[in-house]
């Protein structure tokens, strides 16, 4: 194995840019990479690799021919964007070079999957990825090509028999679920804000997979306002047991930072410290159930200065085997870069000052009056029996 961990990065991913005022500001990617460099994570055990863009045959593993053609057309002439494909909308404005930027991000996730399966790396991170809303035939929710689904599809093409996908973005991982709805080889688990209160209004516990793949889709619909304790309680009440039963050969995780209490587009109240704790748990679960093979992706996150760079730098550091002390001071060089680019003052430390704790669902008792516990139990009842587990 040439390196314990790879970080997939090409500066050109920042050309994935929907324009001024759009929440998906590419500065969040640039500032994350600058913080990774400020901590010198790009030296030593972490190898920084730029993969080639996903080619047509790779995109076709998930996306329809007519949709790829529509993206190419809108990329060449944004005024020709076809809204029937979700292009040229408020969420997904067309921009010149859109196909190339989207294919490049997808290529990083596919490259990460290939590196992990072939043994070039044990862990691989693409924080520019995690664009989980794109459908086989349409753009949605700031996502053009579904790099997460493409990475999984490529693993299946390479002969992997079981892939688990865990999505902790505040929004339901609907596009990945849709891509593998009828495929029992892929277990998709999504923890997200309840569809009653947030886009895309899917991800109910009753969504459990298609015929012949019952129990392969898992959805935990969290009440708005859920904070660290409830979020971690739900994660640990659902994810470890299912991974233990499914026995994936590769674990793919999506780490949208928009669960954070400062995120402007959603209503959970999770801290940076809980996000870091879940990243550590995903690392440990990969070693416990997938021989350490772990592909970690970014996702949403719209507090682009204070939250996203710190969250994904923690993720990258965990994958690199060099976790950052949360109480450590953020490098001054990075804070200067933040001010230069945004005229904002960057955060001083790699923590929100929280020490996340939670009550274990098995040992701590179930409270039938608690909405979080109701959500967890609804999910366990819906899918655990399909895996031979008691709800």
């Amino acid at each position: 194995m040439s390196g314990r961990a790879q970080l997939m990065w090409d500066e050109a991913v920042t050309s994935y840019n929907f324009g001024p005022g759009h929440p998906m500001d590419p500065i969040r990617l640039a500032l994350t990479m600058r913080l990774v460099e400020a901590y010198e994570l790009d030296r030593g055990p972490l190898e920084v690799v730029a993969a080639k863009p996903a080619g047509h045959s790779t995109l076709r593993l998930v996306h329809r021919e007519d949709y790829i053609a529509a993206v190419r057309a809108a990329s060449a002439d944004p005024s020709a964007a076809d809204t029937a494909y979700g292009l040229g909308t408020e969420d997904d404005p067309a921009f010149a070079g859109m196909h190339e930027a989207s294919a490049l991000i997808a290529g990083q996730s596919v490259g990460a999957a290939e590196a992990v399966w072939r043994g070039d790396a044990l862990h691989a991170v693409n924080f520019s990825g995690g664009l989980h809303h794109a459908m086989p035939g349409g753009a949605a929710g700031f996502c053009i090509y579904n790099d997460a689904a493409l990475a999984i599809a490529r693993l299946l093409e390479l002969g992997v028999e079981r892939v688990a996908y865990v999505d902790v973005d505040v929004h339901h991982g609907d596009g990945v679920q849709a891509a593998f709805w009828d495929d029992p080889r892929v277990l998709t688990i999504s923890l997200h804000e309840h569809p009653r209160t947030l886009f895309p209004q899917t991800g109910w516990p009753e969504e459990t997979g298609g015929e012949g793949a019952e129990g392969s889709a898992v959805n935990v619909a969290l009440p708005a306002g859920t904070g660290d304790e409830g979020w971690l309680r739900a994660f640990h009440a659902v994810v470890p047991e299912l991974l233990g039963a499914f026995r994936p050969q590769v674990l793919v995780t999506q780490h949208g930072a928009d669960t954070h209490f400062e995120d402007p587009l959603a209503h959970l109240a999770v801290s940076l410290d809980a996000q870091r704790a879940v990243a550590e748990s995903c690392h440990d679960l990969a070693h416990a159930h997938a021989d350490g093979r772990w592909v970690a992706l970014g996702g949403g996150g719209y507090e682009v200065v204070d939250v996203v760079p710190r969250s994904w730098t923690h993720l990258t550091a965990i994958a690199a085997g060099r976790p950052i002390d949360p109480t450590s001071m953020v490098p001054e060089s990075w804070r200067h870069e933040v001010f230069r680019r945004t005229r904002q003052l960057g955060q001083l430390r790699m923590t929100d000052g929280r020490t996340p704790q939670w009550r274990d669902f098995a040992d701590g008792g179930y409270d039938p009056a608690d909405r979080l516990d109701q959500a967890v139990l609804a999910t366990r009842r819906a899918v655990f029996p399909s895996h031979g587990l008691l709800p």
Side-chain angles (χ1 to χ4, degrees):
M1 185 175 294
S2 64
R4 185 179 183 278
Q6 286 187 1
L7 174 61
M8 315 304 296
W9 177 256
D10 185 319
E11 203 74 31
V13 297
T14 59
S15 64
Y16 189 85
N17 188 350
F18 290 114
H22 193 282
M24 186 77 101
D25 189 335
I27 198 171
R28 68 200 195 119
L29 303 179
L31 288 179
T32 300
M33 190 60 194
R34 302 292 85 81
L35 188 54
V36 166
E37 292 167 346
Y39 272 104
E40 299 186 348
L41 296 174
D42 56 328
R43 305 176 189 178
L46 184 70
E47 181 184 11
V48 179
V49 177
K52 64 182 181 181
H56 188 80
S57 62
T58 298
L59 295 173
R60 285 287 289 123
L61 293 174
V62 168
H63 293 291
R64 294 197 324 241
E65 187 81 41
D66 58 318
Y67 174 59
I68 298 170
V71 174
R72 286 183 176 275
S75 183
D77 180 6
S79 67
D82 189 343
T83 56
Y85 290 102
L87 302 169
T89 62
E90 183 177 356
D91 275 2
D92 296 280
F95 60 91
M98 180 171 63
H99 165 77
E100 290 77 12
S102 304
L104 182 62
I105 289 174
Q108 306 314 303
S109 292
V110 170
E114 292 174 341
V116 166
W117 183 243
R118 290 172 173 164
D120 296 333
L122 191 59
H123 310 326
V125 178
N126 175 27
F127 56 71
S128 71
L131 305 179
H132 60 171
H133 293 307
M135 293 291 176
F142 314 160
C143 305
I144 306 301
Y145 293 139
N146 196 319
D147 64 284
L150 288 163
I152 294 167
R154 177 61 175 146
L155 287 169
L156 298 177
E157 187 179 49
L158 290 172
V160 180
E161 297 174 350
R162 293 178 308 282
V163 182
Y165 171 76
V166 177
D167 187 321
V168 296
D169 193 287
V170 78
H171 302 91
H172 177 223
D174 56 340
V176 184
Q177 175 180 288
F180 303 106
W181 182 253
D182 297 312
D183 195 332
R185 298 174 298 173
V186 181
L187 175 68
T188 63
I189 305 174
S190 178
L191 290 87
H192 47 266
E193 185 179 327
H194 201 287
R196 283 197 193 97
T197 53
L198 195 65
F199 175 90
Q201 284 79 50
T202 57
W204 299 79
E206 296 80 13
E207 299 171 31
T208 59
E211 185 176 353
E214 294 85 354
S216 66
V218 181
N219 289 289
V220 187
L222 302 169
T226 297
D228 289 358
E229 181 182 352
W231 194 61
L232 293 169
R233 178 170 167 83
F235 179 93
H236 289 283
V238 172
V239 177
E241 283 186 77
L242 286 172
L243 293 185
F246 187 69
R247 298 179 298 112
Q249 293 166 289
V250 182
L251 177 63
V252 180
T253 57
Q254 195 267 23
H255 297 265
D258 43 10
T259 52
H260 196 272
F261 56 78
E262 288 186 1
D263 195 88
L265 299 189
H267 318 98
L268 295 191
V270 173
S271 72
L272 180 77
D273 303 284
Q275 291 176 345
R276 179 180 52 81
V278 159
E280 289 178 337
S281 293
C282 289
H283 169 266
D284 294 345
L285 288 166
H287 281 277
H289 302 296
D291 293 325
R293 298 187 192 97
W294 182 31
V295 176
L297 309 174
Y302 308 102
E303 209 323 308
V304 299
V305 174
D306 285 349
V307 176
V308 172
R310 292 189 299 156
S311 185
W312 292 347
T313 299
H314 273 304
L315 174 68
T316 303
I318 290 163
R322 289 177 54 190
I324 296 168
D325 180 353
T327 64
S328 70
M329 296 294 292
V330 174
E332 188 70 19
S333 61
W334 184 77
R335 298 183 70 242
H336 285 309
E337 177 71 3
V338 168
F339 187 77
R340 184 184 71 81
R341 298 189 63 157
T342 70
R343 290 299 181 261
Q344 292 179 233
L345 298 175
Q347 290 287 330
L348 289 172
R349 296 187 184 273
M350 292 292 284
T351 178
D352 287 333
R354 308 284 180 86
T355 305
Q357 297 179 332
W358 72 95
R359 293 178 300 118
D360 187 88
F361 196 80
D363 300 332
Y366 162 67
D367 181 356
D370 184 88
R371 290 193 303 151
L372 187 282
D373 281 7
Q374 291 169 6
V376 169
L377 191 58
T379 299
R380 290 171 63 106
R381 283 174 171 164
V383 297
F384 271 39
S386 297
H387 296 270
L389 301 171
L390 293 174

